[in-house]
Amino acid sequence: MADESKDVRSDPGSVPSSPTPPVVSAKAEGLSIEDWSLFALVALSFVGFVVSAFSTKGGLQYWLFVAPLFAVVSIFSAWSRGRKRGQSASEILKLQILHWLVLPISVFLIYRLEISGRLDAGDAGVVALLAIAITTFLAGVHFDWRLGLVGVALGVGAFGAALVEEYFWLIGMLALVAGGVVFLLRRKS
């Protein structure tokens, strides 16, 4: 009986079983297409902040061009996640289209306010950015939480852009003074 309880692995005559390959998760292999898409949205957002800061008219046009890319990433992400949960394609597309259709309508209305003189070009760009931020944040609430983080970043960026514009001369003067101090300190040493 004692021999029956003997471990097979310690028996020199037994054939060792083939080792099972380690299970590699998708996270260990690298970033998914969804992750790269979200990083691309963040990068496009930073480019948009720069464009909006240097060109008021260009800022609105840039966000009009980029907004559909946000919708495409959201639809792709929702499609991927929804199919895994058993949602039908028509249900996913209906929800996404209804969600993202509000954004071009909002941006069109912002553009009409600019044309009518109710908003200047710089303000229209910031308001369009806020509309994109809110829409993206709500996509995060309803579809993929990571889009919510992108929406928050866009909102903070819009607020920051508005503050920088309002206090541009103060920030410029501080930067000039700081640059002068650094120059003098380097010259002394």
Side-chain angles (χ1 to χ4, degrees):
M1 282 254 169
D3 290 335
E4 290 176 22
S5 65
K6 188 177 171 183
D7 189 8
V8 175
R9 288 176 287 197
S10 64
D11 184 16
S14 70
V15 177
S17 63
S18 62
T20 58
V23 177
V24 178
S25 70
K27 293 281 184 194
E29 290 179 0
L31 297 175
S32 69
I33 293 174
E34 290 177 35
D35 295 333
W36 283 110
S37 300
L38 291 168
F39 285 134
L41 291 185
V42 171
L44 288 171
S45 300
F46 285 121
V47 170
F49 296 146
V50 172
V51 169
S52 296
F54 290 108
S55 171
T56 54
K57 188 93 171 152
L60 180 60
Q61 292 171 348
Y62 179 84
W63 291 114
L64 285 171
F65 172 75
V66 169
L69 297 176
F70 280 75
V72 167
V73 168
S74 177
I75 290 169
F76 174 75
S77 177
W79 185 279
S80 171
R81 293 176 184 277
R83 298 297 283 177
K84 289 176 186 172
R85 289 189 305 247
Q87 287 180 295
S88 69
S90 62
E91 180 184 0
I92 294 167
L93 288 176
K94 180 181 78 170
L95 290 173
Q96 286 285 329
I97 289 170
L98 286 174
H99 177 84
W100 288 99
L101 187 62
V102 173
L103 182 59
I105 293 169
S106 299
V107 172
F108 172 77
L109 293 174
I110 293 165
Y111 180 69
R112 296 303 306 166
L113 289 172
E114 179 194 3
I115 289 175
S116 70
R118 306 279 302 205
L119 285 174
D120 69 358
D123 292 338
V126 171
V127 173
L129 177 54
L130 281 174
I132 293 169
I134 292 168
T135 306
T136 305
F137 175 76
L138 290 174
V141 169
H142 297 289
F143 307 120
D144 183 356
W145 65 271
R146 297 174 301 174
L147 285 168
L149 295 178
V150 173
V152 168
L154 287 170
V156 168
F159 182 70
L163 283 181
V164 166
E165 184 178 326
E166 184 176 343
Y167 297 107
F168 179 74
W169 294 111
L170 177 62
I171 293 169
M173 293 301 285
L174 290 173
L176 187 62
V177 169
V181 168
V182 168
F183 175 76
L184 290 174
L185 290 174
R186 283 192 174 184
R187 190 170 178 199
K188 265 187 161 180
S189 63

